[in-house]
Amino acid sequence: MYGLLNRAIECFVRDTYGEAAWAETALSCGLQGHTPEPMLPVSPDLTDSLVADICRQLDKTRAHLLEDLGIYLVRHSRYEGLRRLLRFSGHTFGDFVLSLDELAARVRLVLPGTEFFSLNVQAYPGRRFEVNSVSDFAGFQRILFGALRAMADDYGVLVTMEISDPAASGHTQILVTVHAPDFASGRGFSLGARTA
Amino acid sequence: MTGPPNIGLEIPYEALGRLLPMHVVLAADGTILSAGPTFARILPNSDLVGNAFLDRFIVRRPPCVTTFEEMRGLQARQLRLELADAPRTTLNAHCLPAAGDRLVVDTSFGINVARAVAEFGLDQSDFAPTSLAVEMLYLIEAKTAAISELQDLTLRLFEEKSQAERQAETDSLTGVLNRRGIERALGELIEDEQEFGLLHVDLDFFKTVNDTHGHSAGDQVLTRVARTLTMLTRPTDLIGRLGGDEFLIVTPGITDTDLLRAMASQIIETLDRPFDIAGCDMRISASAGVTSSGLYTAPDISRMIEDADRALYRSKLDGRTRATVFDPDTMPRPAGTAEAARAAELR
């Protein structure tokens, strides 16, 4: 999945900050224009180099950048396919959050052999959810945090969210509280949109 | 034993509708007593309830089922139905008996679920929570995206492979084919049993140019020569640089040795004229050896190149700045060390 992540980072930089910003990062990281073919296996080192260079260029923290990446992946039209696949997991935002346990398995259906992350969700009264995650990639939970926030908007739901820094065990916790399930209309989603 | 064990569950039609959103319950005579809620989404303007089942549904498989009695007999078999009011919609179905001689028929979209969902604008709530329909749609979309990516990747890799192959057969200095490229082209012509001529053009006094004006000038001369050869040949002719100052020209379709000699002579004459590079006058010349596939019963690459070489050797012996056609009778190999040494000297 690092190949796909690298390509996502590239698209994020190009689409959000422009060609010149990407060109500078590509040069610093020794790339000829593009990140390597996303479907081919690649070492995780490149991902860290890319993130480090972009943070330096834009003067952002790694956490902030990865969160923005998560938001981008749900909101940007280039990744509409991904947003749709996420919407399949839940008719409502609450259903979606509860189904995050299965997200890793859903990813594996399409990309066999990826053991990139694992999620565990607990629900509490008062529409509160605790999303626990473990990942090989440091900062995965920040991407998830951004994506969850954007998904709440997508469903038209008002939420507050908190994230804790990784514990010694490597687990991170994201707390999601739903305040208004019908806050806004959100973006529509029709199951059959891509088959016509 | 009075019959199979009966669970004896009493389920209101409405609850059955939540369990099986696409079912119908039929009376003993085939009249529809109730229908699951998803049918109301598929056929909003038709009433199913109160109508005869076989007026609203057509049994496609098994074939030749036209009466309700026949249908009753098909319990425990998979049926394929069609909706009379939506003919392109096929449904998988099966039925089981219920109390009071009723029949419960459950249906699903089967493999056509994606099309049906799009056509009728269905969403998650139109399927039972245990239905695999939504997972199926997810898988279809994800699969399509993955395959599309892989197709793009395959195309890109194929382009890069073609480009790499072309590069491997191109002389990087002049842009004409290299030895590998021209030999492959010759191989293809021979395999396709196409006739062709072969000219081996060798520059004279090129070493002098390098010694006098330097290798950079030498490179420019070679590039210029390659351009001249390209101009003086047809677009379908192939030009290859064999390394150093030797070029091969392959002329598919032309085997007339007089014509080939005339071509070679024209090339030599053109190369004989001095030209300017970086303000200096370059004087080179060329010699050529010519052969043609018509001279062989079974043309062979190395044999032909060798023979063109022998003819070239003859051109050099005769004074250079000329083209000679290969003649097996009069052109012996440079056998023996003295001849071979002389041949090397002449280069």
Side-chain angles (χ1 to χ4, degrees):
Chain A
M1 263 195 80
Y2 282 102
L4 286 167
L5 182 56
N6 293 339
R7 185 52 64 95
I9 293 170
E10 177 186 337
C11 293
F12 165 66
V13 174
R14 293 186 116 109
D15 288 338
T16 316
Y17 299 102
E19 292 296 328
W22 168 249
E24 195 181 317
T25 295
L27 193 63
S28 307
C29 298
L31 297 176
Q32 306 260 49
H34 283 291
T35 44
E37 285 292 343
M39 299 294 270
L40 298 177
V42 70
S43 138
D45 299 336
L46 178 59
T47 315
D48 288 330
S49 305
L50 288 172
V51 172
D53 190 80
I54 296 163
C55 288
R56 174 199 61 78
Q57 237 197 100
L58 303 172
D59 195 26
K60 280 182 190 269
T61 60
R62 185 180 165 96
H64 192 173
L65 184 80
L66 292 175
E67 203 179 305
D68 285 347
L69 175 64
I71 295 173
Y72 163 83
L73 288 174
V74 171
R75 277 209 192 135
H76 199 273
S77 56
R78 186 193 291 276
Y79 279 89
E80 167 70 3
L82 175 63
R83 174 229 157 212
R84 279 190 57 83
L85 291 176
L86 290 172
R87 285 292 300 244
F88 272 99
S89 330
H91 195 42
T92 65
F93 180 67
D95 290 341
F96 167 72
V97 176
L98 287 170
S99 77
L100 288 172
D101 299 46
E102 294 182 337
L103 188 62
R106 282 172 170 273
V107 170
R108 272 197 297 279
L109 264 182
V110 193
L111 300 169
T114 32
E115 300 285 339
F116 195 69
F117 63 88
S118 99
L119 300 176
N120 176 272
V121 183
Q122 307 286 345
Y124 295 98
R127 293 198 283 254
R128 281 167 48 231
F129 304 92
E130 198 179 272
V131 180
N132 300 294
S133 67
V134 183
S135 168
D136 289 336
F137 176 65
F140 166 76
Q141 59 279 11
R142 289 285 169 179
I143 302 176
L144 180 62
F145 190 71
L148 279 174
R149 187 176 268 161
M151 283 304 280
D153 286 346
D154 209 79
Y155 280 94
V157 166
L158 183 64
V159 300
T160 49
M161 290 172 47
E162 281 169 54
I163 181 169
S164 65
D165 282 322
S169 57
H171 287 259
T172 7
Q173 228 176 54
I174 297 174
L175 293 167
V176 183
T177 309
V178 178
H179 294 286
D182 297 308
F183 183 66
S185 53
R187 274 168 78 188
F189 170 68
S190 97
L191 276 183
R194 285 244 163 132
T195 45
Chain B
M1 192 72 156
T2 50
N6 191 337
I7 308 171
L9 278 180
E10 288 188 5
I11 308 177
Y13 286 152
E14 189 266 334
L16 192 62
R18 274 181 284 122
L19 195 62
L20 307 170
M22 282 173 62
H23 82 282
V24 285
V25 179
L26 310 178
D29 66 355
T31 310
I32 300 173
L33 298 172
S34 100
T38 302
F39 278 119
R41 301 264 282 145
I42 297 170
L43 305 165
N45 300 320
S46 333
D47 289 323
L48 288 182
V49 175
N51 287 278
F53 177 78
L54 291 175
D55 280 348
R56 287 283 181 261
F57 294 85
I58 302 160
V59 182
R60 285 286 175 223
R61 297 274 184 279
C64 313
V65 174
T66 46
T67 68
F68 189 60
E69 277 318 303
E70 282 168 338
M71 205 184 126
R72 265 194 180 284
L74 295 171
Q75 293 165 35
R77 287 191 52 185
Q78 186 175 70
L79 310 174
R80 198 186 303 170
L81 307 175
E82 215 174 76
L83 281 165
D85 295 326
R88 288 182 315 141
T89 307
T90 56
L91 303 168
N92 291 347
H94 69 152
C95 45
L96 67 157
D101 267 343
R102 286 172 296 182
L103 200 65
V104 179
V105 184
D106 188 27
T107 76
S108 79
F109 291 114
I111 199 72
N112 299 309
V113 61
R115 199 173 61 69
V117 164
E119 191 170 326
F120 301 114
L122 303 177
D123 68 41
Q124 271 119 322
S125 59
D126 293 312
F127 297 97
T130 46
S131 162
L132 285 174
V134 177
E135 321 296 42
M136 173 80 160
L137 292 166
Y138 165 81
L139 203 55
I140 290 172
E141 247 188 67
K143 177 252 335 163
T144 303
I147 288 188
S148 172
E149 277 294 320
L150 288 173
Q151 280 176 332
D152 285 351
L153 171 65
T154 307
L155 254 155
R156 274 196 297 275
L157 290 176
F158 182 73
E159 291 279 338
E160 284 174 20
K161 177 174 180 279
S162 301
Q163 204 180 57
E165 281 172 357
R166 274 195 299 274
Q167 252 179 13
E169 293 189 346
T170 304
D171 173 55
S172 51
L173 174 65
T174 59
V176 300
L177 295 168
N178 58 16
R179 175 183 287 274
R180 190 173 159 164
I182 196 95
E183 286 188 357
R184 186 172 75 81
L186 278 167
E188 280 177 6
L189 286 168
I190 292 174
E191 200 174 302
D192 292 344
E193 290 177 13
Q194 285 210 53
E195 45 180 31
F196 58 91
L198 182 66
L199 282 63
H200 187 161
V201 177
D202 188 294
L203 301 183
D204 298 323
F205 312 116
F206 180 71
K207 191 174 176 301
T208 314
V209 168
N210 262 342
D211 293 342
T212 317
H213 300 281
H215 282 275
S216 168
D219 283 353
Q220 289 184 64
V221 167
L222 288 170
T223 310
R224 177 71 181 256
V225 167
R227 249 204 322 271
T228 304
L229 296 180
T230 309
M231 273 194 324
L232 294 177
T233 51
R234 307 166 301 165
T236 46
D237 293 332
L238 303 154
I239 303 172
R241 181 180 164 212
L242 294 183
D245 57 354
E246 297 175 49
F247 293 83
L248 272 185
I249 298 172
V250 179
T251 58
I254 302 181
T255 49
D256 182 315
T257 49
D258 288 334
L259 183 51
L260 291 168
R261 188 200 292 107
M263 271 181 78
S265 300
Q266 188 194 30
I267 288 169
I268 291 166
E269 197 190 317
T270 310
L271 293 175
D272 204 35
R273 300 181 211 143
F275 52 91
D276 175 276
I277 284 185
C280 301
D281 232 22
M282 296 292 165
R283 302 208 69 99
I284 54 158
S285 186
S287 306
V290 175
T291 184
S292 141
S293 65
L295 301 177
Y296 307 80
T297 47
D300 166 76
I301 300 177
S302 30
R303 172 92 183 278
M304 283 184 74
I305 291 179
E306 219 177 85
D307 291 346
D309 214 40
R310 282 151 76 177
L312 170 67
Y313 176 58
R314 168 61 59 194
S315 291
K316 298 209 188 239
L317 282 177
D318 289 349
R320 298 195 152 99
T321 319
R322 66 196 66 219
T324 312
V325 177
F326 174 68
D327 179 354
D329 302 321
T330 62
M331 288 175 194
R333 273 164 210 263
T337 35
E339 285 273 19
R342 182 125 192 266
E345 225 175 274
L346 277 169
R347 287 195 169 285

